Amino acid sequence: MISNLPNSIPISKLKNFHFGDVDGIHDQLLDHAYVFCGTSPFIQISKARKRIIIGPKGSGKTAMFRLMRDKKIPIHCDSEELRTIGIQADLNLKSLKEFVLDRINLQSKKSSLLLKYRITWEIYLMIKIFEDLSKLHIQLPEKLKHFSEKLESIFSYKNNTNILDALLNMKKTIGTKFDTSQPTVHNVYASIERGTKPEDPKAANFLIVFDDILQSINSFLNENNIALDIMIDKLDDFVIKEEYEIQKNIFQALLEVESNYYQHSNIRLFLFIREDLFNRLNLDEYGSDKVFAKKINITWSLDDISQLIAKRISYNYFSAFNLSKIIVEFETKSLYIDKRQNEYIEESEENKNKNRFSRILSHLFSKEATNQVKRRTVSLSEEMSWDIIESLLPNKVFHLDQNSKAILIPLKEFIKTHLSCADNALNPRLVISFFNAVFEFILEYYEKNHDIKNIKKVDGKFPILDPKSFIEIYQKFKSDTFQIYLKQLGDWQYLIHTFHEKKGKRYSFLYKDLISLLEIDRKKEDDFKRFLAIVNHVGFLSCDNLNKTFEARKYTLPILFR
């Protein structure tokens, strides 16, 4: 139970409660360090051991990107200064493909579309790196200075942030070359120019030898004790059919670039990617074991989700009541969330053997004025999270079962079963979206009942919401979420509509059942398999046995979309 909350909440204060933005790039609550949840995958990323971050839509990739870009959370670095470049590469995929096909001319035995995409990425990253180096108050070596001046004269990179803008606006012909010591690249030359017919790269106004200049940049950074982290996000918005193939090729090429950058100690490339796209990439050329050693999947346990909810409620308590800390009475002793801390709760040293909290991350010792006892810092445990959650929300709520009968279940169970999509994976975006819907409902209720001015505390809790209200809130949330997810499927929306019209009350389907139900032409079965891969990733259908062939797979409709 929280012991330092006031005896009542004024409705005027309650109206300001919110759970943050579902888009991590715009979520203002993430500006407050104590709101961030240090999940197990993030701990691995913070040690810079993992560079390829994989997760479904809504798993927190963009939030992690933003916090890393803005250096709000620490990423291990041996250098004295860490600089970051954040690239949100919202691309017009078809325009990029047209550029790659029309403007890049290869003179190589290995003339492939993937290589053209790789060259495009290599040039764009060079532009972004030198754009950042130009902000340093350090004299560049003559070689890098000359290269930077030439690069800027061709691309005017200080005025361009988008990859296509930077490349399309170049003013001269350039040539590119890779180090011939790389066995997978061979002797590759390329020319990129404004004219209709590319010239011989050897006659270009400017020749970029990627490996040589990267090595020079890395040496300069190392000599000046600087590390440079480059993070690339927003490449994986849902697209279908032709654009899906373009997107896959873009990532395939980028993975090859990352493999090259990984050799340089002071330049680190972090990639954020959807799981279904990653699973379709060909990893053999780079060594699948090496790639898997660098990748990590973002997953959220119920404990993690509990922390997320509790910390966002704590944020509202801090703001509404001008608190510096929240004191939780837990098994006869007081613990507290300190507003100044990142994500930690403090426990009395004298009681540390009486209770064990999950994931002890660090030890911070300080004197307490009340008892002068040293305290250690530990993570927010699930039990304490639920003490905070249940101070504001009912611990049991109503939902409709399969027979549309209202059943009372624990809020914890409701969150676990009703706010997950494919593979029953808990999704923080869904959780934030749902609890925003809860507070919108609360606001609307008290606006209609304006005679209620305060909510008094009862047994340490604020009864602000009738448990039965969750039925109405969830039904509207389901409908809104369905429409949002449906729009992501473009030309395939009709299949989802047909599925919902014909499925009846069934929630489980074999692959052959879906083929029959949706009357799929066997000639278009490959497209249908791609559709199933995407709807599984989106969360419309959960595949229970992805390790099987398509013909042997079984699919379940999550509660959210029933």
Side-chain angles (χ1 to χ4, degrees):
M1 183 175 69
I2 302 176
S3 62
N4 66 324
L5 293 178
N7 291 324
S8 64
I9 297 182
I11 298 302
S12 59
K13 298 280 189 183
L14 192 60
K15 288 180 179 179
N16 295 323
F17 276 40
H18 66 102
F19 254 68
D21 198 301
V22 294
D23 187 346
I25 209 70
H26 302 300
D27 189 0
Q28 294 181 351
L29 268 63
L30 287 177
D31 291 333
H32 305 273
Y34 58 84
V35 172
F36 176 74
C37 294
T39 61
S40 178
F42 177 75
I43 294 171
Q44 294 296 316
I45 297 166
S46 68
K47 295 176 181 177
R49 293 175 182 169
K50 306 295 182 180
R51 309 278 180 87
I52 303 170
I53 298 102
I54 299 169
K57 194 174 182 70
S59 60
K61 299 190 299 296
T62 297
M64 198 172 291
F65 163 88
R66 171 187 161 188
L67 292 168
M68 291 170 66
R69 178 199 66 188
D70 298 344
K71 294 189 278 190
K72 293 286 183 67
I73 44 180
I75 303 297
H76 175 75
C77 174
D78 292 327
S79 301
E80 288 183 2
E81 181 182 357
L82 174 63
R83 300 183 65 83
T84 61
I85 299 174
I87 299 173
Q88 286 198 286
D90 294 299
L91 298 177
N92 182 320
L93 296 176
K94 289 184 179 179
S95 296
L96 181 61
K97 183 182 179 182
E98 288 173 4
F99 170 84
V100 167
L101 290 175
D102 297 342
R103 300 277 290 275
I104 298 182
N105 178 50
L106 294 180
Q107 294 188 358
S108 166
K109 294 179 181 179
K110 186 183 177 182
S111 181
S112 71
L113 181 61
L114 281 177
L115 189 52
K116 290 186 176 185
Y117 278 119
R118 175 179 174 178
I119 289 167
T120 304
W121 274 117
E122 295 274 14
I123 293 172
Y124 181 60
L125 290 175
M126 283 285 175
I127 292 171
K128 299 305 290 184
I129 288 171
F130 275 92
E131 185 180 39
D132 188 74
L133 292 181
S134 68
K135 301 172 186 176
L136 287 173
H137 300 294
I138 303 174
Q139 184 72 28
L140 291 177
E142 196 61 35
K143 178 179 179 180
L144 293 184
K145 182 181 177 182
H146 173 73
F147 185 92
S148 176
E149 290 170 351
K150 193 73 174 178
L151 199 66
E152 185 182 353
S153 71
I154 292 175
F155 291 104
S156 300
Y157 59 75
K158 287 184 179 179
N159 300 318
N160 293 297
T161 54
N162 179 277
I163 184 171
L164 271 176
D165 289 342
L167 296 173
L168 288 172
N169 291 332
M170 65 182 186
K171 301 172 183 177
K172 298 180 181 179
T173 301
I174 67 164
T176 68
K177 180 178 182 289
F178 291 99
D179 191 335
T180 56
S181 66
Q182 294 190 55
T184 60
V185 177
H186 310 293
N187 288 307
V188 176
Y189 287 87
S191 66
I192 306 176
E193 61 176 335
R194 297 178 65 87
T196 55
K197 187 177 180 180
E199 299 177 3
D200 185 333
K202 298 175 185 177
N205 300 106
F206 183 40
L207 179 66
I208 303 174
V209 183
F210 292 120
D211 303 273
D212 176 61
I213 201 66
L214 262 182
Q215 185 58 53
S216 298
I217 294 169
N218 191 72
S219 297
F220 167 74
L221 293 172
N222 188 44
E223 289 167 6
N224 289 278
N225 219 350
I226 299 170
L228 183 61
D229 283 354
I230 305 171
M231 289 142 280
I232 303 178
D233 186 31
K234 290 290 187 184
L235 277 170
D236 60 352
D237 283 345
F238 284 106
V239 292
I240 61 173
K241 298 186 178 179
E242 179 191 358
E243 290 194 342
Y244 189 83
E245 289 302 315
I246 301 172
Q247 195 178 60
K248 189 187 77 169
N249 287 333
I250 288 171
F251 261 114
Q252 186 79 47
L254 191 54
L255 200 62
E256 191 168 319
V257 174
E258 190 279 333
S259 181
N260 186 34
Y261 271 65
Y262 199 76
Q263 303 171 41
H264 302 286
S265 60
N266 289 59
I267 311 173
R268 305 185 296 191
L269 198 58
F270 292 86
L271 310 181
F272 296 80
I273 180 172
R274 281 200 337 259
E275 188 170 12
D276 70 304
L277 269 177
F278 178 81
N279 291 337
R280 296 194 68 215
L281 300 179
N282 180 8
L283 306 179
D284 294 339
E285 190 170 341
Y286 324 112
S288 58
D289 56 334
K290 294 178 181 178
V291 175
F292 273 85
K294 292 184 283 186
K295 71 106 175 174
I296 191 163
N297 291 72
I298 299 179
T299 57
W300 288 74
S301 67
L302 184 58
D303 185 9
D304 295 328
I305 291 294
S306 302
Q307 284 193 43
L308 181 145
I309 300 169
K311 289 182 176 183
R312 287 170 185 262
I313 289 176
S314 299
Y315 162 82
N316 285 286
Y317 282 156
F318 287 137
S319 301
F321 305 127
N322 197 26
L323 300 175
S324 62
K325 64 180 68 173
I326 292 174
I327 301 173
V328 182
E329 296 291 341
F330 186 69
E331 293 188 8
T332 73
K333 64 178 179 298
S334 295
L335 314 174
Y336 69 82
I337 307 172
D338 193 321
K339 189 175 179 180
R340 299 165 298 174
Q341 299 290 344
N342 181 343
E343 57 171 314
Y344 309 121
I345 296 289
E346 297 194 331
E347 175 193 13
S348 296
E349 181 72 13
E350 62 184 0
N351 294 313
K352 68 179 182 180
N353 294 320
K354 294 181 182 179
N355 292 280
R356 292 186 178 182
F357 292 88
S358 61
R359 301 196 308 272
I360 299 175
L361 302 179
S362 64
H363 295 271
L364 296 176
F365 296 94
S366 62
K367 294 284 185 178
E368 275 297 299
T370 53
N371 55 19
Q372 297 296 307
V373 176
K374 285 185 178 180
R375 294 175 177 263
R376 66 188 175 111
T377 302
V378 300
S379 67
L380 184 63
S381 75
E382 187 174 2
E383 290 180 81
M384 292 184 64
S385 294
W386 280 98
D387 269 353
I388 295 167
I389 294 168
E390 292 174 3
S391 70
L392 193 65
L393 299 169
N395 62 358
K396 290 187 177 181
V397 299
F398 281 90
H399 82 117
L400 298 179
D401 67 6
Q402 293 185 12
N403 299 314
S404 297
K405 182 180 178 182
I407 303 293
L408 189 65
I409 61 172
L411 178 60
K412 184 185 297 187
E413 182 183 338
F414 176 89
I415 291 169
K416 184 177 181 180
T417 56
H418 288 59
L419 300 182
S420 57
C421 290
D423 303 324
N424 294 317
L426 286 163
N427 185 303
R429 178 175 292 183
L430 278 178
V431 171
I432 293 171
S433 181
F434 176 73
F435 282 101
N436 269 327
V438 169
F439 278 92
E440 287 170 8
F441 179 90
I442 292 170
L443 175 59
E444 185 177 338
Y445 174 82
Y446 287 108
E447 283 182 346
K448 291 178 180 177
N449 296 272
H450 50 79
D451 55 310
I452 303 174
K453 303 299 183 184
N454 294 279
I455 305 294
K456 292 185 178 180
K457 192 161 58 177
V458 179
D459 296 327
K461 302 175 181 180
F462 297 109
I464 65 170
L465 187 63
D466 187 333
K468 292 180 180 178
S469 300
F470 270 71
I471 292 176
E472 181 181 344
I473 297 168
Y474 189 66
Q475 292 306 308
K476 183 178 184 303
F477 175 73
K478 283 176 64 175
S479 176
D480 292 345
T481 303
F482 177 81
Q483 293 302 322
I484 291 169
Y485 278 45
L486 188 64
K487 289 178 181 178
Q488 299 168 5
L489 296 176
D491 294 342
W492 277 331
Q493 291 184 33
Y494 77 96
L495 282 177
I496 293 295
H497 284 301
T498 304
F499 171 74
H500 275 278
E501 288 171 4
K502 294 185 175 183
K503 70 178 179 59
K505 292 187 176 181
R506 295 177 60 190
Y507 299 138
S508 183
F509 308 86
L510 297 175
Y511 175 78
K512 64 179 182 180
D513 297 333
L514 295 171
I515 289 281
S516 175
L517 187 72
L518 297 172
E519 300 177 0
I520 300 300
D521 186 337
R522 291 289 178 178
K523 295 179 181 179
K524 297 182 178 180
E525 199 168 345
D526 285 343
D527 272 350
F528 182 64
K529 289 177 179 178
R530 191 176 304 159
F531 164 76
L532 287 179
I534 290 181
V535 294
N536 177 73
H537 181 78
V538 172
F540 274 124
L541 282 174
S542 175
C543 182
D544 302 333
N545 52 349
L546 275 173
N547 59 326
K548 302 289 186 180
T549 62
F550 269 99
E551 290 71 18
R553 288 181 183 177
K554 180 182 177 182
Y555 294 86
T556 303
L557 189 64
I559 290 175
L560 183 62
F561 297 117
R562 292 181 188 176

